[in-house]
């Protein structure tokens, strides 16, 4: 019984440790990449709140995607997403 409890605690600690590594090390490192910095800057310039995109992006994104498609057809690349 004690061994099983210790195993569960160790597994829980491992999961919490892995989540902490992803949240505190990997995601901030990814956010510092130039491509991601450019994308975050673009979102800020467009007035888009990334934390609210799931709920609000549909209305705004149609215009943004249309502009991006027109630019791609012209051969321009204004979007930092590429």
């Amino acid at each position: 019984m004690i061994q099983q409890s210790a195993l569960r605690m160790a597994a829980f600690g491992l999961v919490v440790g892995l989540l902490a590594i992803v949240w505190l090390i990997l995601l901030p490192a990814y956010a510092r990449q130039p491509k991601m910095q450019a994308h975050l800057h673009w979102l800020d310039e467009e007035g888009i709140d990334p934390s609210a995109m799931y709920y609000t992006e549909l209305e705004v994104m149609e215009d943004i995607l249309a502009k991006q498609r027109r630019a791609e057809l012209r051969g321009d690349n204004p979007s930092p997403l590429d």
Side-chain angles (χ1 to χ4, degrees), residues 58-77:
L58 296 177
E59 195 173 306
V60 174
M61 288 303 288
E62 289 299 322
D63 292 333
I64 293 171
L65 291 174
K67 288 177 187 176
Q68 184 178 5
R69 284 187 204 107
R70 286 193 300 270
E72 287 173 356
L73 290 174
R74 286 193 312 264
D76 300 340
N77 191 5

Side-chain angles (χ1 to χ4, degrees), residues 30-46:
Y30 180 67
R32 287 190 297 270
Q33 298 299 313
K35 189 173 182 179
M36 188 57 160
Q37 285 286 327
H39 180 64
L40 292 173
H41 181 70
W42 178 78
L43 287 172
D44 191 43
E45 284 180 348
E46 296 293 327

